[in-house]
Structure formats: structure tokens, C-alpha cells
Amino acid sequence: MERRGTRRSRAKALAILILFILVSLICQAKAEETETVEGAVSPPNANSNKIVSRIAFGSCFNQSAPQPQPIWESIIRFDPQVFIWLGDNIYGDNKRPVRVWGRERTVGPWKNIERFFPSTEDELSRRYAAVKSNPGYARLRQGHPKVSIIGTWDDHDYGLNDAGKEFPYKDTSQQLLLDFLDEPHNSPRRKQAGVYASYMFGPPGKRIKVILLDMRYHRDPLFSDGTILGETQWSWLEKELNGPQSEITIIASSIQVVSNLSAIFQPLFYMESWSLFPKERRRLFNLIDSSKREGVMFISGDVHFGEITRDDCGAAYPVYDLTSSGLTQAVERTVPKALAFVIRFMAWIAPSTKRVFSPICRFTSCTYGLPNFGAIEIDWEATPPMVKLEVRNELGKAAIGVEFTLSNLRQPEEQQPRSKTGMRGGQDWKYYKQHCLPESELPWFAKYRIALILVAFATASTMLLVLVVKKVVSGGKMFIKKFKVD
């Protein structure tokens, strides 16, 4: 009996051991299955296995903009499964009047005070609340529950125009942005330094990864050629790009990645872009290249107009940058309607080596300076799948657009070597072509065309004014002389 009991206990122990091994194997398999979306946060209202074929995004939304705002109805009609806030989601800072002289001089060589200054925490909260209660956005949020709303920030919702890592209230601003995005209280984004995050959408074979960058929290001063992302975020981005694959990877940057319009508008003014940090820009494209990740594209905002640009030499395949700005703030709204043609003329004569020109563009320049939103459509059923990038106007019609096969965003079997410029293309002469040459390397006459035209116009106007004044004075003298004679 004792021997039989020993056998039973051994059999029981063996059964428990086998059961333990089976449970361990099942847990390991589950862990490996979960690993396919490691590092990706679950967005609100997301079904990670549902196919995503429509993504909308917008930037530069002033909470005080007048109603009605038909752009929200157009976004709802587009029926996006994902909506991305791309920065300047509110205008949280304040600005003083433009003054060249007086006690408070905000611009010019005698400037003695900053024009922009931050708001209080309560004021920022009220401005975010105003956006949430906006009738159009509220319908997108509440009446369209299947949409996943995610986002990052830019300078005005960060708290101060053009601010970077030096901004003292950035941690408070971070929590307010995450409150606005309905980020869970236990989200890793609330504990990290910065609001960067990634999301994975869709089932295997039709996956879209969205990487949201933080262009503010760690950024060094402008024109320093320092860092934009900071080493912690760079390490995270490297892990994301080298992690589980997706058919499409959208990198969301609040400022433009491909275009460098500052090179052609200086010394008149500058626009923030990755090109102001050339080392960081090269590092970004090198990282995309070394990761061998396919299907990468950028979306951006900030500049108050829309355009599509493309870089054919930064990585092993063409990389698009779809810029949409803004939902309410637009460059043509800064001038009287009768003078909108001046803005369009300047956009037309501005040289751009990276802009995509398409027959469907609303204007010849293939830029759009009125309120707009970005739209991405993927036709997964086509063979190969098709991708459509569009800047859409307030009424939902395409103002700029381009369509291409997803296979265009694939590494070729034989990669071209890098030239001494550091770009793809082999011989240097291939580097100097459309979609390769940076605007900063244009011939000086082409690069400063706008400044030269404006100087010539100002000179001609001054000369004309002098002639008119001279004529009036001369006529006045003759009239007085004749009057005295009479």
C-alpha cells in the first residue's frame, strides 16, 4: 500500500510538472504575440485588429476663431478611423502689440521686451475646454465614437512661441495636453519627459504604425544645430523603427521635415523646420535608412499653409512629407481678401526643390494658404495597395494631392551608394535634381529671388513716390508763383 501511494504521489507530481510546462509555453506564446505591438500605446476607442484606411489630421487651431467652422463637418464626412492633432491645438500663449518704439518695443533693433508671453495654468485649461466644447469638434469626438483621437504638440500649446527645452512650465503643459487628449491617468506618457508615443493599427499584413514625435520638450535653441529630440527620445525612436514591422509607418512631426523654406525667405523671416538642425535631419534619415523600415512617410504642420514635399535622396526610397496647416490659422487670412493674390504670387515665385507638383493642385504653386486638413487614404484591396495623400479645403475638396503605390516606399534590391554630400544617388550630378537638392544649395539668385523682387519693388515704389512728391511740389511752386503774378 505504501509503495502504491508513493507511485500515485509521483504520478501526481509529474502531472503537475507537465501542466506547469504547458502553462509556461502558453504564456510565452502569448507574450511573443503581444510583442508584435511592443512600445505601441492603445489609443482611445481603438480596435487594433480593425483595418484602418482613412486617417485625418490637423494643426494650428485657434480656440477663439469665429464660427461657423465648416472644416469639422468636412472631416466628419471624410469618415476617418484615426484623427491626429499635430500641434498648436490651442493658442495658449499671449502676444503684445507690434511696437518699434515706445516704452515696450516688441520688434526691431531697439526691442526691449519679448512679444510673446505664456498664459497661466487656469487660462490654458480654459482654452483647451473651449476646443473640446467647439460644436464641430464635439461632434467628431462624441458623435463619431469609432474614431481614435491621438496627438502631439507644437510651440503654442506647449506654452510659448518657438520655445524649446528652456521653457519652465513644460511639465504642467504636458499634463494639460494629455488631459485634452483623454490620456489615461496611468499612461506612460504622463510619467516620461515629453509627449512622444507610438500606436499600431490594423491586422497583420495591413498594419499602420503612427509615431508621434515631441519637437519641444528636449529641443535646443534655434540655429544652434543642437538636438531636437534629445538622446532619450532618439533611443526610443530607434527602438520603434527597428521594432515590429508595419506596412506603413507615419512619423508625425509638428514642424516640416523635408521642406526648407527658411533658406529662401531669409533674411525676411524664418520658419521652424528640421532643416534648421541639419545634423538632426541627417540623423533622422540615416536612422530610417539603417533600420531598413519600409513604408515610411511624414506628416507635419505649423506653417499656416498646406503642401506636399518629397525627398528622393535622404533614404533608400522616396519619403513624402504631407503638410497641413491650419484648421483655422492660414496665411491668406492674414491679409485682406483683395490682397490674397500677393500671397499666391509669392508662393508661385518661391523656388522649391522638394515640392510635389500635381495636376489636381488648386493653385499653380501647389500650395494652399486657406484653412485645410490632411487626409490619408489607403486602398488595401488594390494590387499593390494604393496610397493617396491630400490637403483638403474647408469644404472637403482636394486642394493638393498625390497618389502612388505602396510598393514605391520599398527599398530597391540594389541600393545606390551615398555621394560625398551624404545623400543617396551615387554620382554627385544625380544629387542635383528635383526632390534631391536642398533649397539652401540653390544658386544665390534663385535662393534669394523673393528678397530681390521685394527690394526691387520697394526701390521702384520709393522712386515713384519721390517723383510724385517732386511733381506735386514743383506744381505747387508754379501755382504759387502764378498766383502772386496775378
Side-chain angles (χ1 to χ4, degrees):
M1 289 289 291
E2 186 177 341
R3 189 176 296 174
R4 190 180 299 171
T6 303
R7 287 176 181 172
R8 284 179 180 173
S9 62
R10 286 178 179 173
K12 186 176 180 181
L14 182 61
I16 292 172
L17 179 62
I18 293 171
L19 182 62
F20 175 77
I21 292 172
L22 286 172
V23 170
S24 298
L25 289 171
I26 291 169
C27 290
Q28 185 177 354
K30 288 288 185 184
E32 289 175 357
E33 185 180 334
T34 306
E35 195 178 12
T36 58
V37 290
E38 182 184 1
V41 180
S42 295
N45 304 326
N47 180 350
S48 59
N49 288 319
K50 187 175 180 180
I51 296 173
V52 168
S53 57
R54 294 177 307 282
I55 297 174
F57 69 92
S59 65
C60 306
F61 182 77
N62 192 322
Q63 67 282 348
S64 303
Q67 296 285 349
Q69 295 169 359
I71 198 165
W72 290 112
E73 293 303 323
S74 298
I75 292 172
I76 292 170
R77 283 197 304 273
F78 177 61
D79 194 25
Q81 291 125 322
V82 180
F83 179 79
I84 304 172
W85 282 105
L86 206 48
D88 292 343
N89 313 318
I90 61 167
Y91 278 72
D93 51 357
N94 306 286
K95 56 185 178 181
R96 299 178 176 93
V98 175
R99 288 199 181 102
V100 181
W101 54 79
R103 187 190 302 176
E104 292 186 345
R105 301 180 295 276
T106 56
V107 295
W110 303 285
K111 175 180 174 180
N112 66 352
I113 192 170
E114 292 297 329
R115 188 181 178 209
F116 291 88
F117 60 97
S119 296
T120 64
E121 181 179 347
D122 288 342
E123 183 57 35
L124 282 175
S125 297
R126 284 195 292 272
R127 295 181 188 188
Y128 274 123
V131 178
K132 273 194 167 180
S133 62
N134 178 284
Y137 180 56
R139 280 194 291 276
L140 179 68
R141 276 183 75 237
Q142 300 164 4
H144 207 66
K146 62 183 178 181
V147 66
S148 297
I149 298 177
I150 58 178
T152 184
W153 58 16
D154 200 31
D155 52 346
H156 294 291
D157 42 353
Y158 182 62
L160 188 64
N161 183 57
D162 289 351
K165 67 181 184 182
E166 76 287 347
F167 185 59
Y169 310 115
K170 57 187 178 183
D171 293 322
T172 300
S173 295
Q174 178 170 339
Q175 298 307 316
L176 292 174
L177 171 72
L178 298 178
D179 288 344
F180 169 70
L181 295 171
D182 299 317
E183 194 80 20
H185 291 292
N186 60 350
S187 168
R189 296 180 82 187
R190 291 189 179 274
K191 301 172 185 176
Q192 67 188 26
V195 299
Y196 54 89
S198 74
Y199 304 86
M200 189 75 84
F201 299 94
K206 297 179 179 178
R207 276 191 171 154
I208 299 176
K209 185 168 195 172
V210 178
I211 298 175
L212 302 178
L213 299 180
D214 185 330
M215 312 299 296
R216 295 293 160 187
Y217 197 99
H218 302 280
R219 200 213 68 197
D220 283 333
L222 292 173
F223 306 105
S224 67
D225 202 10
T227 187
I228 296 179
L229 302 184
E231 285 306 315
T232 301
Q233 189 174 181
W234 271 117
S235 299
W236 168 83
L237 179 58
E238 183 176 4
K239 182 181 176 183
E240 292 295 323
L241 289 175
N242 285 288
Q245 291 298 308
S246 57
E247 283 60 46
I248 295 175
T249 299
I250 299 171
I251 300 179
S253 166
S254 60
I255 60 175
Q256 289 186 302
V257 181
V258 171
S259 182
N260 181 15
L261 292 177
S262 289
I264 61 175
F265 282 112
Q266 288 180 344
L268 303 174
F269 59 88
Y270 70 88
M271 288 181 281
E272 286 191 87
S273 71
W274 278 77
S275 295
L276 296 182
F277 295 83
K279 291 178 184 176
E280 292 284 273
R281 189 179 184 278
R282 282 195 297 271
R283 183 175 180 179
L284 178 63
F285 278 97
N286 288 341
L287 182 56
I288 294 170
D289 223 9
S290 63
S291 72
K292 301 191 184 308
R293 195 174 190 94
E294 299 179 334
V296 174
M297 64 182 74
F298 297 109
I299 58 174
S300 58
D302 177 60
V303 290
H304 295 191
F305 66 88
E307 69 171 342
I308 301 173
T309 51
R310 191 179 89 203
D311 194 317
D312 288 358
C313 297
Y317 54 84
V319 179
Y320 287 85
D321 186 355
L322 172 58
T323 300
S324 173
S325 173
L327 291 166
T328 60
Q329 305 305 99
V331 64
E332 287 193 24
R333 293 283 173 90
T334 62
V335 298
K337 204 169 183 178
L339 296 178
F341 75 93
V342 176
I343 302 292
R344 294 172 191 173
F345 175 73
M346 289 181 65
W348 176 63
I349 64 172
S352 176
T353 59
K354 303 294 181 71
R355 188 175 300 146
V356 175
F357 290 90
S358 165
I360 74 164
C361 290
R362 176 70 178 80
F363 302 118
T364 309
S365 66
C366 276
T367 63
Y368 190 72
L370 291 166
N372 61 84
F373 68 96
I376 302 173
E377 288 186 87
I378 305 100
D379 184 357
W380 293 109
E381 302 307 315
T383 307
M386 297 293 297
V387 179
K388 184 189 293 184
L389 309 179
E390 290 180 332
V391 174
R392 296 195 173 193
N393 65 14
E394 281 186 304
L395 302 179
K397 296 180 180 179
I400 310 168
V402 64
E403 191 170 4
F404 51 88
T405 63
L406 186 54
S407 58
N408 282 356
L409 307 185
R410 296 284 181 267
Q411 299 209 20
E413 293 182 6
E414 293 185 10
Q415 285 194 14
Q416 295 177 322
R418 287 187 181 273
S419 67
K420 65 183 181 183
T421 58
M423 308 297 261
R424 291 283 181 196
Q427 299 176 355
D428 288 330
W429 68 268
K430 291 183 179 179
Y431 169 65
Y432 292 96
K433 63 177 184 178
Q434 185 72 3
H435 304 304
C436 280
L437 176 69
E439 288 89 343
S440 58
E441 295 187 22
L442 283 167
W444 73 271
F445 179 80
K447 184 162 59 173
Y448 300 116
R449 184 188 302 165
I450 290 181
L452 291 171
I453 289 174
L454 289 178
V455 168
F457 177 77
T459 304
S461 299
T462 303
M463 290 176 65
L464 181 63
L465 182 62
V466 169
L467 288 173
V468 169
V469 170
K470 191 175 179 181
K471 204 75 174 173
V472 169
V473 171
S474 175
K477 285 181 177 179
M478 287 182 65
F479 176 78
I480 292 172
K481 188 176 181 182
K482 186 178 179 182
F483 180 76
K484 284 182 177 179
V485 170
D486 292 343

